[in-house]
């Protein structure tokens, strides 16, 4: 009909390919009646009828109600509204809110520390599928050849025909098993790139994922296009980081296992200052925030092209966290980042050609604090990490991570490590290791952080900056910074503000005494204190007691009494 010929022109004018609608929408609209049923519209756009009903509830659509049953009938203007809705660009706050609402669908059905991996898996799947369609349409527009448009070399990720998002929207029963099958096929089609990334997902458990719950999730994600035209890597990556933070807060103590506050990462990266082509390694990567911060730092300083020259290496033991980190890099467009799974202390994955530990320009880490159950014997005998050092205690792995990091630094290597305060003062084997590290002149700075910055623990932490090639003026010295009092107080977590981060970084590069905040300490002073690095031994940041003039106060009281009597 003429009405839909006009709508076809509308679609072409707004560049259907760029809007990422399915190519056959125009064809399906030809010859259609002026009023379409909900079933017809759902089929045309490959969305569920519940999605259309939800858009009606929020006012996006106002279809006609016809006949005694008040059946929905969609007019050309309704179709235009759907095209605009599915092709609309989201702001970061809108995207964050939208993604967090997907978690609301699962909240209460499965443990809060567990459902994040399912949300992340679905988000990544939707992104892959929408980008594949977008790539396909772009090639078709240029070459009009389906074989070329489907060719592997035209796609960042391979999405087999029976794995496209539209297929899961058409699934009415056994949605969970269908999702499992799709994830298996996606992993196989993109091996080794996506190896193990979906391995920890099982949507087929009907007690945890009833069909109607999965249908709500699919409908929710179907509301928007996640192609590059509408959601850039930067925007989606930032929203993903927001989700990680929210999930960490939701998970409480377990949140600290995979999330380091971005502000702490900014402190360490701001001190280490990554350069072009640096090789950067995180042996306990968590969700990958440190390496993303390094990338963002260089991107802001020198541009995206230079930032992309960084070589990023990561290892993570936990399978679910490994997947989160890997997806995080993909969503930020950092496909070349090398993440491997395994126990860093027992089975480090990054080795050189001689079978020893690979070394790096920069190492960053927030390892798990004071773990008691770790591979002590394997650590002692592998890769020469104890050369020149005592063995750490078998019931505390803090210094095992430190020694692994030292061994992983190249001759000019720098490192930033987040650790509990105990590493500064504990005795016995740890005291001997601390003394040996200090005598090797590897410690460049120590930064005491405020308490309650990290999820799952209220204890304050310290940042230890190591440098295997200290400048001449810093040799045999350690800068100690007491930043414990500079923060914004929060209900559950305290926050380092931008000015707090900048103050720490500025103090590091000033490398001079600042009253009640920073002090450059000689190795002789440290030796005199038995190589104990307790911050209070070096910086007195306590407030001075106010001196009260008793005579003056007494005179003021007497004066006030006289005024009252008058």
């Amino acid at each position: 009909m003429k009405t839909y010929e006009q709508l076809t022109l509308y679609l072409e004018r707004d560049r259907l390919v760029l809007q990422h609608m399915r190519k056959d929408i125009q064809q399906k609209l030809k010859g259609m009646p002026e009023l379409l049923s909900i079933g017809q519209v759902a089929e045309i756009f490959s969305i569920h009828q519940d999605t259309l009903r939800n858009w009606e509830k929020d006012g996006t659509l106002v279809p006609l109600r016809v006949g005694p049953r008040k059946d929905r009938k969609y007019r050309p203007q309704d179709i235009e509204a759907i095209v605009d809705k599915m092709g609309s660009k989201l702001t970061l706050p809108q995207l964050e809110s939208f993604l967090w609402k997907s978690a609301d669908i699962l909240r209460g059905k499965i443990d809060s520390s567990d459902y994040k991996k399912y949300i992340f898996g679905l988000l990544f799947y939707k992104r892959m599928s929408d980008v594949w369609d977008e790539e396909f349409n772009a090639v078709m527009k240029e070459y009009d050849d389906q074989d070329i448009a489907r060719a592997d070399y035209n796609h960042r990720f391979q999405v087999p025909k029976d794995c496209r998002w539209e297929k899961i929207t058409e699934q009415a029963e056994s949605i969970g098993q269908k999702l499992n099958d799709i994830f298996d096929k996606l992993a196989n089609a993109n091996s080794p790139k996506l190896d193990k990334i979906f391995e920890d997902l099982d949507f087929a458990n009907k007690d945890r994922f009833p069909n109607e719950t999965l249908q709500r999730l699919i409908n929710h994600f179907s509301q928007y296009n996640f192609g590059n035209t509408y959601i850039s890597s930067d925007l989606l990556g930032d929203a993903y980081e927001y989700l990680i933070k929210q999930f960490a807060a939701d998970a409480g103590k377990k949140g600290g296992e995979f999330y380091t506050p971005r502000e702490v990462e900014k402190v360490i990266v701001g001190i280490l200052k990554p350069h072009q082509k640096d090789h950067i390694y995180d042996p306990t990567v968590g969700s990958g925030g440190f390496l993303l911060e390094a990338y963002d730092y260089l991107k802001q300083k020198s541009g995206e092209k230079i930032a992309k020259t960084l070589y990023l290496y990561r290892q993570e033991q936990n399978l679910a966290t490994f997947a989160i980190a890997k997806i995080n890099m993909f969503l930020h467009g950092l496909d070349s980042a090398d993440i491997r799974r395994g126990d860093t202390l027992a089975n480090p994955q990054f080795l050189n050609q001689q079978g020893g530990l690979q070394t790096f320009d920069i190492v960053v880490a927030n390892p798990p604090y004071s773990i008691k159950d770790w591979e002590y014997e394997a650590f002692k005998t592998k890769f020469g990490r104890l050369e020149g050092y005592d063995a750490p205690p078998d019931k505390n792995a803090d210094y095992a991570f430190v020694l692994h990091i030292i061994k992983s630094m190249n001759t000019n290597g720098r490192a930033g490590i987040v650790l509990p305060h105990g590493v500064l003062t504990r005795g016995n084997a740890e005291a001997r290791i601390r003394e040996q590290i200090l005598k090797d002149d590897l410690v460049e700075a120590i930064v005491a952080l405020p308490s309650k910055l990290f999820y799952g623990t209220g204890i304050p932490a310290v940042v230890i900056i190591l440098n295997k090639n200290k400048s001449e003026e810093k040799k045999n010295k350690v800068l100690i910074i007491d930043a414990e009092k500079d923060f914004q107080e929060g209900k559950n977590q305290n926050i380092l503000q931008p000015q707090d981060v900048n103050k720490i970084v500025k103090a590091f590069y000033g490398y001079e005494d600042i009253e009640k905040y920073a002090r450059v300490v000689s190795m002789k002073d440290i030796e005199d204190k038995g190589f104990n690095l307790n911050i209070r031994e070096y910086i007195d940041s306590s407030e001075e007691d106010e001196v009260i003039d008793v005579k003056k106060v007494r005179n003021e009281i007497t004066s006030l009494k006289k005024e009252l009597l008058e």
Side-chain angles (χ1 to χ4, degrees):
M1 293 181 68
K2 186 176 180 181
T3 303
Y4 279 102
E5 289 174 4
Q6 292 172 344
L7 181 56
T8 298
L9 291 175
Y10 167 83
L11 290 169
E12 289 174 343
R13 185 176 65 247
D14 278 50
R15 301 180 73 189
L16 180 61
V17 169
L18 290 180
Q19 287 192 327
H20 203 65
M21 300 289 97
R22 289 176 59 202
K23 185 182 177 183
D24 60 352
I25 289 176
Q26 293 181 32
Q27 188 63 37
K28 286 183 176 181
L29 286 171
K30 288 180 180 178
M32 283 281 187
E34 186 167 348
L35 298 180
L36 301 176
S37 70
I38 189 171
Q40 288 172 315
V41 174
E43 181 179 355
I44 288 169
F45 287 95
S46 293
I47 56 178
H48 198 273
Q49 293 182 21
D50 285 346
T51 300
L52 294 170
R53 295 186 184 100
N54 290 336
W55 286 343
E56 187 177 335
K57 289 177 184 177
D58 67 20
T60 299
L61 297 176
V62 187
L64 295 176
R65 291 302 190 111
V66 177
R69 296 191 308 172
K70 301 295 182 184
D71 293 332
R72 294 174 173 82
K73 293 294 180 179
Y74 295 84
R75 302 157 293 177
Q77 57 263 44
D78 298 317
I79 303 302
E80 289 183 18
I82 295 171
V83 171
D84 289 340
K85 176 73 172 179
M86 293 186 72
S88 61
K89 290 186 177 182
L90 293 169
T91 64
L92 180 59
Q94 287 173 333
L95 182 57
E96 289 173 346
S97 176
F98 174 80
L99 292 176
W100 189 237
K101 284 180 181 176
S102 66
D104 290 339
I105 296 172
L106 291 184
R107 191 168 287 109
K109 296 178 176 65
I110 60 176
D111 187 75
S112 61
S113 64
D114 208 24
Y115 59 60
K116 62 183 182 297
K117 62 188 179 186
Y118 293 98
I119 298 299
F120 291 150
L122 279 175
L123 169 61
F124 185 46
Y125 167 35
K126 182 68 161 67
R127 173 70 163 185
M128 287 173 63
S129 183
D130 286 356
V131 169
W132 192 97
D133 287 344
E134 192 173 59
E135 293 163 342
F136 178 88
N137 290 331
V139 176
M140 281 297 294
K141 183 179 179 182
E142 185 172 357
Y143 297 103
D144 195 27
D145 187 313
Q146 290 199 14
D147 290 336
I148 295 176
R150 290 194 180 95
D152 290 357
Y153 55 78
N154 280 318
H155 297 280
R156 182 180 172 201
F157 294 102
Q158 307 312 313
V159 183
K161 185 175 181 180
D162 59 349
C163 294
R164 310 273 163 73
W165 185 262
E166 65 191 65
K167 296 299 181 182
I168 197 64
T169 65
E170 296 167 357
Q171 189 79 13
E173 300 295 332
S174 302
I175 297 173
Q177 186 56 54
K178 177 67 174 177
L179 281 170
N180 282 2
D181 294 342
I182 286 174
F183 284 129
D184 284 343
K185 290 177 181 178
L186 288 173
N188 290 331
N190 294 275
S191 182
K193 199 172 186 178
L194 298 186
D195 284 358
K196 296 185 176 68
I197 203 168
F198 303 123
E199 200 170 286
D200 202 33
L201 302 183
D202 181 11
F203 285 96
N205 186 327
K206 292 186 177 181
D207 291 330
R208 304 180 84 191
F209 298 107
N211 223 46
E212 52 271 24
T213 297
L214 290 177
Q215 188 68 73
R216 286 181 64 201
L217 268 178
I218 300 302
N219 291 343
H220 183 75
F221 278 105
S222 296
Q223 293 182 60
Y224 291 102
N225 250 288
F226 280 75
N228 287 312
T229 304
Y230 293 96
I231 303 177
S232 68
S233 291
D234 286 344
L235 188 69
L236 187 57
D238 288 346
Y240 187 81
E241 286 276 298
Y242 164 83
L243 266 189
I244 292 172
K245 181 178 180 180
Q246 293 300 105
F247 281 128
D250 222 30
K253 185 174 182 180
K254 290 185 178 180
E257 296 176 5
F258 60 87
Y259 180 76
T260 300
R262 201 64 185 264
E263 298 78 18
V264 175
E265 295 165 347
K266 287 181 182 293
V267 166
I268 292 177
V269 172
I271 287 173
L272 298 178
K273 292 188 182 301
H275 298 100
Q276 183 176 359
K277 296 184 179 181
D278 271 348
H279 292 248
I280 307 177
Y281 169 52
D282 186 341
T284 57
V285 74
S287 59
F290 267 123
L291 300 185
L292 286 173
E293 182 57 40
Y295 171 78
D296 287 345
Y297 169 87
L298 195 55
K299 182 179 177 182
Q300 291 176 19
K301 179 185 175 185
S302 305
E304 183 177 6
K305 186 176 180 180
I306 298 297
K308 291 269 185 158
T309 68
L310 291 174
Y311 297 88
L312 306 177
Y313 307 83
R314 309 156 294 160
Q315 184 162 337
E316 174 57 45
Q317 182 175 9
N318 181 280
L319 179 58
T321 307
F322 165 86
I324 291 172
K326 202 158 188 177
I327 292 173
N328 204 0
M329 293 297 159
F330 286 140
L331 293 182
H332 280 86
L334 299 175
D335 293 18
S336 62
D338 189 349
I339 179 168
R340 302 180 189 180
R341 185 166 172 252
D343 184 333
T344 292
L345 298 182
N347 188 25
Q349 294 294 299
F350 294 99
L351 307 178
N352 58 31
Q353 291 181 345
Q354 293 72 41
L357 291 184
Q358 185 176 342
T359 59
F360 305 90
D361 301 298
I362 291 176
V363 185
V364 288
N366 179 18
Y369 297 164
S370 306
I371 55 175
K372 296 179 180 180
D373 186 12
W374 62 288
E375 299 291 340
Y376 175 72
E377 292 299 330
F379 178 84
K380 283 201 309 179
T381 57
K382 289 184 177 181
F383 306 109
R385 289 173 284 191
L386 296 184
E387 291 174 2
Y389 300 101
D390 276 36
D394 60 355
K395 297 299 182 184
N396 191 315
D398 288 341
Y399 269 101
F401 284 110
V402 174
L403 295 179
H404 174 82
I405 287 168
I406 290 172
K407 193 70 174 179
S408 300
M409 297 162 63
N410 63 27
T411 53
N412 295 307
R414 296 156 287 146
I417 319 166
V418 184
L419 292 163
H421 262 263
V423 299
L424 303 179
T425 59
R426 290 195 293 253
N428 301 318
E430 291 180 303
R432 293 190 294 274
I433 297 171
R434 186 169 61 245
E435 178 181 342
Q436 291 154 354
I437 293 171
L438 286 163
K439 284 182 174 179
D440 286 343
D441 203 15
L442 295 177
V443 181
E444 189 168 16
I446 296 167
V447 181
L449 297 174
S451 61
K452 291 178 63 178
L453 290 181
F454 298 87
Y455 293 104
T457 178
I459 64 171
V462 295
V463 171
I464 296 180
I465 303 297
L466 303 176
N467 191 340
K468 281 195 175 180
N469 188 23
K470 291 165 73 170
S471 59
E472 199 62 39
E473 65 273 16
K474 294 181 180 180
K475 287 183 177 177
N476 293 307
K477 297 174 184 175
V478 176
L479 174 67
I480 297 178
I481 299 173
D482 184 2
E484 290 185 1
K485 294 184 178 180
D486 294 331
F487 62 91
Q488 177 183 323
E489 189 172 358
K491 183 178 179 181
N492 297 314
Q493 304 296 136
N494 294 328
I495 301 168
L496 283 177
Q497 301 171 99
Q499 61 265 32
D500 303 325
V501 173
N502 293 336
K503 184 178 179 181
I504 294 170
V505 175
K506 184 178 179 181
F508 174 84
Y509 279 97
Y511 218 81
E512 60 185 13
D513 293 353
I514 301 173
E515 187 177 1
K516 295 186 178 297
Y517 186 74
R519 181 182 166 194
V520 179
V521 183
S522 71
M523 200 58 63
K524 177 69 167 60
D525 287 344
I526 293 173
E527 186 174 358
D528 289 343
K529 289 181 170 55
F531 296 97
N532 185 310
L533 293 174
N534 187 338
I535 304 297
R536 297 292 168 263
E537 292 285 337
Y538 302 96
I539 299 176
D540 179 10
S541 59
S542 60
E543 298 294 332
E544 293 182 3
D545 292 334
E546 183 181 356
V547 178
I548 299 175
D549 187 334
V550 177
K551 184 177 180 181
K552 182 180 178 182
V553 172
R554 188 178 291 136
N555 290 338
E556 289 176 353
I557 293 173
T558 301
S559 177
L560 286 170
K561 284 181 177 179
K562 286 181 179 180
E563 290 178 15
L564 289 171
L565 289 172
E566 292 172 358

